[in-house]
Amino acid sequence: MDRIAIVGGAQLKGEIPISGAKNSAIKLMAASILTDEPLRLTNMPRLADTKFLGRLLEQFGIAVTESNGPDGQETLFHAREISSTFAPYDLVRQMRASFNVLGPLLARTGHAKVSLPGGCTIGARPVDLHIEALAKLGAQMEMSEGYVSALAPNGLQGTEIEFPFVSVGATEHTLLAAVMAHGTTVLKNAAREPEIGDLARCLVSMGAKIEGIDTDTLVIEGVTSLHGTTWSVIPDRIEMGSYAVAAAMAGGEVRITKARPELIQALTDKMIEAGVDIEPTADGVIVRRDPTQRLKAVNVTTEVYPGFATDLQAQFMALMTLAEGESVIHENIFENRFMHAPELGRLGAEIHVHAGEARVVGVEHLKGAPVMATDLRASISLVIAGLAAEGETTVGRVYHLDRGFERMEEKLSACGARVRRIKGDGDGR
Ligand code: UD1
């Protein structure tokens, strides 16, 4: 198993271009199931997660063709015919979001059998809201032996669904099914994450009728068929936020490009409050920090969009480990999402976790050590901490990182970071 080795202490100087958003790409890929015409996705990130899902789509008979076009990396998905509507455990367990093929398979063919998901080990992460919503759209749902079987031989039926709490996955999954239901579906208390807006706009460009995009109420008038389109994946706001924090942690000056700065305002506001200099540009931000000046501890609470993203919590915690004072980080979205805290502790951070809250007492120095990635976002937080730690930090279980960060070592090294991948065995300890 590969490891990432970081020698801390180098300031970052240069430019980091942001890739297409993983969390958008994998939902857009699922939309390809809905049409027998080609869906061409540009600005496609090449990640372990997009690869997994591509393999699953191929299992359904969908042709997946990667290429480099005039707009960079692209992938063509062509679901001329759906030859199978079975998603086996071995493929779904590798990535939780692959469960979301259930709704579009059902909408396109009237039946599907999909394994219950695996995914990052952050909390229990059930899919009850997804299943309830599909049942409300008229599907007969049955669960046995770890699989969900769904039937809607006469198509799905539009209805009103009010989610009991905000769920990104359940909103997008229901949307993917409702676009081809008979009649109108109203989704209330819908998630407003930018990736859902990206999916909804792509569906509209495929012929879907959706109103209320980017609000918490989506009104979907079902259509009988959708057509192909070309769609550019929105820039990855979590990748952008991660590199902004990395630059602040290491110090120096980094220009982040090909991004949408307004999508991470909750983070940049907190970074500014902590003393980081952030200058918005047309397609990103410039992050500056003099590493001889200590940052100030600030408190953060994760919220649904447009609040502070839970996917940036681990990175911000890494930043706070060296801040002056005490920072309280409150995790509202996922239970058990502090598994990075003991790993940061191995580098010398002082973090006390109690229930959904972490108290970070800033220290003056971190010291490199072997650590282990526990989930996707936690893994980048360890790399970030390693950038400012004295000596060498090695991060094991890098497969978590490869799920969501494209060419991470290359992007950081181009700015002067001393980061390299070590091929081989072991989990880094
Ligand atoms: C998505 C993102 C993930 C991000 C999260 C929150 C993708 C592929 N992943 O995950 O990176 O951290 O949004 O912004 O886009 N829940 C239930 N029952 C359900 C569904 C969710 O109880 O049926 C709970 C979850 O356990 C969690 C909360 O609702 O506590 C929010 O989860 P949700 O918004 O659905 O996150 P994901 O779509 O899984």
Side-chain angles (χ1 to χ4, degrees):
M1 221 178 285
D2 294 357
R3 286 173 297 155
I4 298 286
I6 308 120
V7 178
Q11 291 191 36
L12 302 187
K13 204 159 183 44
E15 186 176 319
I16 300 184
I18 297 305
S19 301
K22 168 186 90 75
N23 283 357
S24 197
I26 55 184
K27 290 141 207 201
L28 295 165
M29 288 170 74
S32 72
I33 297 171
L34 292 167
T35 173
D36 61 5
E37 293 183 13
L39 173 63
R40 184 171 153 251
L41 297 180
T42 62
N43 197 31
M44 266 297 278
R46 303 268 187 251
L47 300 164
D49 272 11
T50 51
K51 231 174 258 156
F52 286 144
L53 187 55
R55 234 176 280 152
L56 183 60
L57 295 180
E58 282 173 340
Q59 176 105 353
F60 306 145
I62 300 173
V64 179
T65 318
E66 290 187 352
S67 62
N68 283 316
D71 307 322
Q73 292 169 180
E74 60 177 64
T75 310
L76 193 77
F77 300 89
H78 195 178
R80 201 188 303 268
E81 266 176 42
I82 301 290
S83 55
S84 161
T85 58
F86 175 62
Y89 174 66
D90 262 356
L91 286 178
V92 179
R93 81 181 162 81
Q94 304 196 42
M95 187 184 66
R96 183 186 153 77
S98 49
F99 182 70
N100 294 9
V101 296
L102 178 63
L105 283 175
L106 192 59
R108 170 97 182 255
T109 69
H111 57 89
K113 183 173 175 180
V114 174
S115 168
L116 286 163
C120 277
T121 49
I122 41 173
R125 300 187 87 178
V127 283
D128 51 328
L129 298 190
H130 302 226
I131 292 168
E132 277 162 31
L134 293 177
K136 280 193 183 140
L137 288 172
Q140 296 164 36
M141 310 292 288
E142 208 186 281
M143 262 178 291
S144 77
E145 292 165 5
Y147 280 85
V148 181
S149 300
L151 269 181
N154 301 315
L156 295 166
Q157 187 61 50
T159 187
E160 184 176 305
I161 297 170
E162 178 158 2
F163 294 109
F165 53 89
V166 175
S167 160
V168 173
T171 301
E172 108 218 349
H173 198 173
T174 314
L175 176 63
L176 279 164
V179 282
M180 278 177 50
H182 303 294
T184 305
T185 301
V186 181
L187 301 185
K188 293 191 168 164
N189 204 20
R192 289 188 288 154
E193 267 63 8
E195 295 74 26
I196 295 173
D198 200 33
L199 172 66
R201 288 188 180 85
C202 174
L203 288 166
V204 167
S205 139
M206 293 167 75
K209 295 188 175 156
I210 306 167
E211 275 174 27
I213 297 176
D214 295 333
T215 75
D216 64 1
T217 304
L218 294 170
V219 181
I220 306 142
E221 201 187 309
V223 295
T224 50
S225 68
L226 294 174
H227 53 75
T229 194
T230 294
W231 194 256
S232 173
V233 180
I234 192 175
D236 197 314
R237 66 193 163 101
I238 305 303
E239 191 197 13
M240 176 190 192
S242 302
Y243 289 131
V245 174
M249 188 76 174
E253 181 173 324
V254 173
R255 174 185 282 269
I256 297 176
T257 59
K258 294 182 73 185
R260 296 259 308 268
E262 73 281 11
L263 302 183
I264 56 160
Q265 202 183 328
L267 169 73
T268 47
D269 284 353
K270 286 291 174 184
M271 290 176 68
I272 291 166
E273 203 183 317
V276 183
D277 180 9
I278 307 250
E279 183 189 328
T281 62
D283 73 338
V285 283
I286 299 171
V287 182
R288 289 186 199 92
R289 194 190 142 228
D290 171 359
T292 60
Q293 303 288 311
R294 272 185 94 182
L295 293 177
K296 202 170 81 199
V298 294
N299 300 337
V300 152
T301 298
T302 64
E303 309 274 3
V304 297
Y305 189 81
F308 193 101
T310 175
D311 284 352
L312 290 168
Q313 178 255 105
Q315 299 86 318
F316 198 78
M317 185 185 287
L319 186 65
M320 289 296 99
T321 60
L322 287 177
E324 194 163 7
E326 188 176 305
S327 158
V328 178
I329 298 183
H330 195 88
E331 174 57 55
N332 255 331
I333 310 295
F334 291 111
E335 75 216 64
N336 195 23
R337 205 180 198 179
F338 287 129
M339 288 179 302
H340 42 282
E343 296 300 312
L344 290 169
R346 291 174 59 80
L347 301 176
E350 188 183 336
I351 304 168
H352 307 275
V353 174
H354 180 68
E357 212 168 77
R359 205 161 49 80
V360 186
V361 183
V363 293
E364 288 201 21
H365 304 283
L366 296 177
K367 202 159 167 23
V371 290
M372 196 174 68
T374 50
D375 70 51
L376 169 55
R377 309 307 177 186
S379 51
I380 194 79
S381 77
L382 299 173
V383 173
I384 289 170
L387 291 172
E390 288 162 14
E392 187 175 83
T393 299
T394 52
V395 182
R397 302 206 176 155
V398 167
Y399 55 85
H400 287 296
L401 200 89
D402 293 336
R403 289 187 46 211
F405 288 89
E406 190 179 47
R407 300 192 304 272
M408 185 274 298
E409 311 92 276
E410 205 183 293
K411 289 185 183 186
L412 283 175
S413 303
C415 292
R418 290 172 291 191
V419 179
R420 69 185 208 285
R421 181 175 290 250
I422 305 170
K423 297 266 177 200
D425 296 331
D427 63 9
R429 285 208 172 151

mmCIF file of all heavy atoms in Angstrom, residues 171-199:
data_model
loop_
_atom_site.group_PDB
_atom_site.id
_atom_site.type_symbol
_atom_site.label_atom_id
_atom_site.label_comp_id
_atom_site.label_asym_id
_atom_site.label_seq_id
_atom_site.Cartn_x
_atom_site.Cartn_y
_atom_site.Cartn_z
ATOM 1 N N THR A 171 -31.399 13.985 -1.491
ATOM 2 C CA THR A 171 -31.941 14.998 -2.416
ATOM 3 C C THR A 171 -31.570 14.654 -3.850
ATOM 4 O O THR A 171 -32.412 14.613 -4.743
ATOM 5 C CB THR A 171 -31.395 16.409 -2.062
ATOM 6 O OG1 THR A 171 -31.758 16.715 -0.720
ATOM 7 C CG2 THR A 171 -31.940 17.466 -2.996
ATOM 8 N N GLU A 172 -30.280 14.376 -4.054
ATOM 9 C CA GLU A 172 -29.846 14.148 -5.439
ATOM 10 C C GLU A 172 -30.422 12.834 -5.971
ATOM 11 O O GLU A 172 -30.809 12.743 -7.135
ATOM 12 C CB GLU A 172 -28.317 14.184 -5.503
ATOM 13 C CG GLU A 172 -27.659 12.883 -5.718
ATOM 14 C CD GLU A 172 -26.370 12.710 -4.943
ATOM 15 O OE1 GLU A 172 -25.851 13.676 -4.380
ATOM 16 O OE2 GLU A 172 -25.898 11.572 -4.911
ATOM 17 N N HIS A 173 -30.529 11.836 -5.109
ATOM 18 C CA HIS A 173 -31.042 10.532 -5.539
ATOM 19 C C HIS A 173 -32.510 10.646 -5.948
ATOM 20 O O HIS A 173 -32.940 10.122 -6.980
ATOM 21 C CB HIS A 173 -30.877 9.538 -4.377
ATOM 22 C CG HIS A 173 -30.963 8.104 -4.786
ATOM 23 N ND1 HIS A 173 -30.712 7.067 -3.934
ATOM 24 C CD2 HIS A 173 -31.314 7.527 -5.958
ATOM 25 C CE1 HIS A 173 -30.869 5.921 -4.576
ATOM 26 N NE2 HIS A 173 -31.245 6.179 -5.795
ATOM 27 N N THR A 174 -33.278 11.372 -5.139
ATOM 28 C CA THR A 174 -34.704 11.529 -5.438
ATOM 29 C C THR A 174 -34.879 12.344 -6.718
ATOM 30 O O THR A 174 -35.737 12.054 -7.551
ATOM 31 C CB THR A 174 -35.417 12.205 -4.251
ATOM 32 O OG1 THR A 174 -34.981 11.565 -3.042
ATOM 33 C CG2 THR A 174 -36.916 12.066 -4.358
ATOM 34 N N LEU A 175 -34.034 13.353 -6.879
ATOM 35 C CA LEU A 175 -34.076 14.173 -8.091
ATOM 36 C C LEU A 175 -33.824 13.313 -9.333
ATOM 37 O O LEU A 175 -34.525 13.411 -10.340
ATOM 38 C CB LEU A 175 -33.010 15.274 -7.961
ATOM 39 C CG LEU A 175 -32.790 16.207 -9.132
ATOM 40 C CD1 LEU A 175 -34.051 17.029 -9.407
ATOM 41 C CD2 LEU A 175 -31.618 17.154 -8.848
ATOM 42 N N LEU A 176 -32.814 12.428 -9.226
ATOM 43 C CA LEU A 176 -32.456 11.567 -10.361
ATOM 44 C C LEU A 176 -33.603 10.629 -10.735
ATOM 45 O O LEU A 176 -33.680 10.152 -11.860
ATOM 46 C CB LEU A 176 -31.208 10.740 -10.017
ATOM 47 C CG LEU A 176 -29.857 11.446 -10.158
ATOM 48 C CD1 LEU A 176 -28.764 10.682 -9.438
ATOM 49 C CD2 LEU A 176 -29.495 11.645 -11.631
ATOM 50 N N ALA A 177 -34.476 10.315 -9.777
ATOM 51 C CA ALA A 177 -35.611 9.436 -10.078
ATOM 52 C C ALA A 177 -36.815 10.248 -10.549
ATOM 53 O O ALA A 177 -37.515 9.873 -11.487
ATOM 54 C CB ALA A 177 -35.977 8.627 -8.834
ATOM 55 N N ALA A 178 -37.035 11.402 -9.903
ATOM 56 C CA ALA A 178 -38.273 12.163 -10.139
ATOM 57 C C ALA A 178 -38.315 12.843 -11.506
ATOM 58 O O ALA A 178 -39.392 13.124 -12.018
ATOM 59 C CB ALA A 178 -38.440 13.211 -9.040
ATOM 60 N N VAL A 179 -37.152 13.089 -12.109
ATOM 61 C CA VAL A 179 -37.162 13.792 -13.405
ATOM 62 C C VAL A 179 -37.936 13.014 -14.470
ATOM 63 O O VAL A 179 -38.419 13.601 -15.438
ATOM 64 C CB VAL A 179 -35.739 14.103 -13.945
ATOM 65 C CG1 VAL A 179 -35.150 15.293 -13.234
ATOM 66 C CG2 VAL A 179 -34.822 12.898 -13.863
ATOM 67 N N MET A 180 -38.056 11.680 -14.285
ATOM 68 C CA MET A 180 -38.797 10.903 -15.281
ATOM 69 C C MET A 180 -40.063 10.271 -14.696
ATOM 70 O O MET A 180 -40.618 9.339 -15.277
ATOM 71 C CB MET A 180 -37.874 9.866 -15.911
ATOM 72 C CG MET A 180 -37.062 10.530 -17.008
ATOM 73 S SD MET A 180 -35.843 9.558 -17.861
ATOM 74 C CE MET A 180 -36.652 8.109 -18.347
ATOM 75 N N ALA A 181 -40.549 10.791 -13.552
ATOM 76 C CA ALA A 181 -41.803 10.281 -12.970
ATOM 77 C C ALA A 181 -42.992 10.909 -13.707
ATOM 78 O O ALA A 181 -42.849 11.948 -14.363
ATOM 79 C CB ALA A 181 -41.849 10.630 -11.488
ATOM 80 N N HIS A 182 -44.165 10.280 -13.590
ATOM 81 C CA HIS A 182 -45.377 10.892 -14.150
ATOM 82 C C HIS A 182 -45.786 12.042 -13.229
ATOM 83 O O HIS A 182 -45.847 11.862 -12.005
ATOM 84 C CB HIS A 182 -46.533 9.884 -14.180
ATOM 85 C CG HIS A 182 -46.217 8.637 -14.948
ATOM 86 N ND1 HIS A 182 -46.007 8.626 -16.308
ATOM 87 C CD2 HIS A 182 -46.081 7.348 -14.559
ATOM 88 C CE1 HIS A 182 -45.749 7.404 -16.708
ATOM 89 N NE2 HIS A 182 -45.779 6.600 -15.657
ATOM 90 N N GLY A 183 -46.078 13.200 -13.788
ATOM 91 C CA GLY A 183 -46.583 14.320 -12.980
ATOM 92 C C GLY A 183 -45.486 15.071 -12.246
ATOM 93 O O GLY A 183 -44.298 14.953 -12.553
ATOM 94 N N THR A 184 -45.921 15.834 -11.246
ATOM 95 C CA THR A 184 -45.016 16.778 -10.570
ATOM 96 C C THR A 184 -44.563 16.255 -9.212
ATOM 97 O O THR A 184 -45.365 15.742 -8.443
ATOM 98 C CB THR A 184 -45.743 18.132 -10.387
ATOM 99 O OG1 THR A 184 -46.198 18.561 -11.672
ATOM 100 C CG2 THR A 184 -44.835 19.193 -9.801
ATOM 101 N N THR A 185 -43.281 16.425 -8.934
ATOM 102 C CA THR A 185 -42.734 16.089 -7.614
ATOM 103 C C THR A 185 -42.248 17.381 -6.968
ATOM 104 O O THR A 185 -41.590 18.197 -7.629
ATOM 105 C CB THR A 185 -41.533 15.121 -7.753
ATOM 106 O OG1 THR A 185 -41.980 13.946 -8.418
ATOM 107 C CG2 THR A 185 -40.949 14.748 -6.405
ATOM 108 N N VAL A 186 -42.583 17.541 -5.704
ATOM 109 C CA VAL A 186 -42.060 18.698 -4.963
ATOM 110 C C VAL A 186 -41.174 18.154 -3.849
ATOM 111 O O VAL A 186 -41.608 17.339 -3.038
ATOM 112 C CB VAL A 186 -43.209 19.548 -4.369
ATOM 113 C CG1 VAL A 186 -42.644 20.758 -3.630
ATOM 114 C CG2 VAL A 186 -44.174 19.994 -5.461
ATOM 115 N N LEU A 187 -39.912 18.579 -3.846
ATOM 116 C CA LEU A 187 -38.982 18.163 -2.783
ATOM 117 C C LEU A 187 -38.796 19.327 -1.827
ATOM 118 O O LEU A 187 -38.286 20.384 -2.222
ATOM 119 C CB LEU A 187 -37.624 17.748 -3.358
ATOM 120 C CG LEU A 187 -37.610 16.600 -4.367
ATOM 121 C CD1 LEU A 187 -36.171 16.245 -4.746
ATOM 122 C CD2 LEU A 187 -38.316 15.380 -3.798
ATOM 123 N N LYS A 188 -39.230 19.133 -0.581
ATOM 124 C CA LYS A 188 -39.084 20.198 0.422
ATOM 125 C C LYS A 188 -37.960 19.851 1.386
ATOM 126 O O LYS A 188 -37.722 18.677 1.644
ATOM 127 C CB LYS A 188 -40.402 20.362 1.184
ATOM 128 C CG LYS A 188 -41.515 20.897 0.306
ATOM 129 C CD LYS A 188 -42.694 21.279 1.147
ATOM 130 C CE LYS A 188 -43.696 22.079 0.334
ATOM 131 N NZ LYS A 188 -44.991 22.133 0.996
ATOM 132 N N ASN A 189 -37.359 20.889 1.950
ATOM 133 C CA ASN A 189 -36.193 20.720 2.823
ATOM 134 C C ASN A 189 -35.065 20.001 2.074
ATOM 135 O O ASN A 189 -34.368 19.146 2.615
ATOM 136 C CB ASN A 189 -36.581 19.952 4.099
ATOM 137 C CG ASN A 189 -35.614 20.249 5.234
ATOM 138 O OD1 ASN A 189 -34.906 21.257 5.217
ATOM 139 N ND2 ASN A 189 -35.547 19.347 6.200
ATOM 140 N N ALA A 190 -34.931 20.353 0.795
ATOM 141 C CA ALA A 190 -33.884 19.756 -0.051
ATOM 142 C C ALA A 190 -32.526 20.361 0.301
ATOM 143 O O ALA A 190 -32.448 21.501 0.770
ATOM 144 C CB ALA A 190 -34.200 20.034 -1.518
ATOM 145 N N ALA A 191 -31.473 19.600 0.052
ATOM 146 C CA ALA A 191 -30.113 20.125 0.250
ATOM 147 C C ALA A 191 -29.816 21.130 -0.866
ATOM 148 O O ALA A 191 -30.349 21.026 -1.964
ATOM 149 C CB ALA A 191 -29.098 18.997 0.230
ATOM 150 N N ARG A 192 -28.939 22.115 -0.567
ATOM 151 C CA ARG A 192 -28.640 23.179 -1.543
ATOM 152 C C ARG A 192 -27.167 23.186 -1.926
ATOM 153 O O ARG A 192 -26.654 24.201 -2.399
ATOM 154 C CB ARG A 192 -29.000 24.530 -0.934
ATOM 155 C CG ARG A 192 -30.484 24.741 -0.794
ATOM 156 C CD ARG A 192 -30.757 26.157 -0.377
ATOM 157 N NE ARG A 192 -30.375 26.398 1.010
ATOM 158 C CZ ARG A 192 -30.045 27.585 1.497
ATOM 159 N NH1 ARG A 192 -29.985 28.635 0.723
ATOM 160 N NH2 ARG A 192 -29.741 27.719 2.770
ATOM 161 N N GLU A 193 -26.474 22.092 -1.652
ATOM 162 C CA GLU A 193 -25.048 22.051 -1.969
ATOM 163 C C GLU A 193 -24.847 22.343 -3.462
ATOM 164 O O GLU A 193 -25.675 21.925 -4.292
ATOM 165 C CB GLU A 193 -24.488 20.666 -1.609
ATOM 166 C CG GLU A 193 -23.895 20.533 -0.214
ATOM 167 C CD GLU A 193 -24.891 20.751 0.925
ATOM 168 O OE1 GLU A 193 -26.097 20.862 0.655
ATOM 169 O OE2 GLU A 193 -24.450 20.825 2.087
ATOM 170 N N PRO A 194 -23.782 23.058 -3.824
ATOM 171 C CA PRO A 194 -23.578 23.458 -5.224
ATOM 172 C C PRO A 194 -23.545 22.273 -6.183
ATOM 173 O O PRO A 194 -23.905 22.409 -7.355
ATOM 174 C CB PRO A 194 -22.211 24.147 -5.199
ATOM 175 C CG PRO A 194 -21.953 24.500 -3.779
ATOM 176 C CD PRO A 194 -22.736 23.574 -2.924
ATOM 177 N N GLU A 195 -23.147 21.107 -5.693
ATOM 178 C CA GLU A 195 -23.069 19.932 -6.568
ATOM 179 C C GLU A 195 -24.471 19.482 -6.977
ATOM 180 O O GLU A 195 -24.657 18.873 -8.042
ATOM 181 C CB GLU A 195 -22.313 18.788 -5.878
ATOM 182 C CG GLU A 195 -20.833 19.097 -5.599
ATOM 183 C CD GLU A 195 -20.604 20.067 -4.441
ATOM 184 O OE1 GLU A 195 -21.472 20.145 -3.543
ATOM 185 O OE2 GLU A 195 -19.555 20.761 -4.431
ATOM 186 N N ILE A 196 -25.466 19.758 -6.121
ATOM 187 C CA ILE A 196 -26.845 19.409 -6.486
ATOM 188 C C ILE A 196 -27.353 20.374 -7.562
ATOM 189 O O ILE A 196 -28.026 19.975 -8.510
ATOM 190 C CB ILE A 196 -27.755 19.430 -5.242
ATOM 191 C CG1 ILE A 196 -27.295 18.331 -4.292
ATOM 192 C CG2 ILE A 196 -29.226 19.236 -5.623
ATOM 193 C CD1 ILE A 196 -27.983 18.331 -2.963
ATOM 194 N N GLY A 197 -26.974 21.643 -7.425
ATOM 195 C CA GLY A 197 -27.315 22.622 -8.460
ATOM 196 C C GLY A 197 -26.689 22.222 -9.789
ATOM 197 O O GLY A 197 -27.310 22.334 -10.855
ATOM 198 N N ASP A 198 -25.446 21.730 -9.739
ATOM 199 C CA ASP A 198 -24.751 21.307 -10.959
ATOM 200 C C ASP A 198 -25.507 20.147 -11.610
ATOM 201 O O ASP A 198 -25.738 20.147 -12.824
ATOM 202 C CB ASP A 198 -23.326 20.876 -10.577
ATOM 203 C CG ASP A 198 -22.358 20.886 -11.750
ATOM 204 O OD1 ASP A 198 -22.509 21.739 -12.655
ATOM 205 O OD2 ASP A 198 -21.456 20.030 -11.784
ATOM 206 N N LEU A 199 -25.907 19.184 -10.787
ATOM 207 C CA LEU A 199 -26.658 18.029 -11.300
ATOM 208 C C LEU A 199 -27.985 18.491 -11.904
ATOM 209 O O LEU A 199 -28.350 18.088 -13.011
ATOM 210 C CB LEU A 199 -26.916 17.031 -10.152
ATOM 211 C CG LEU A 199 -27.857 15.873 -10.480
ATOM 212 C CD1 LEU A 199 -27.237 14.948 -11.520
ATOM 213 C CD2 LEU A 199 -28.202 15.077 -9.213
#
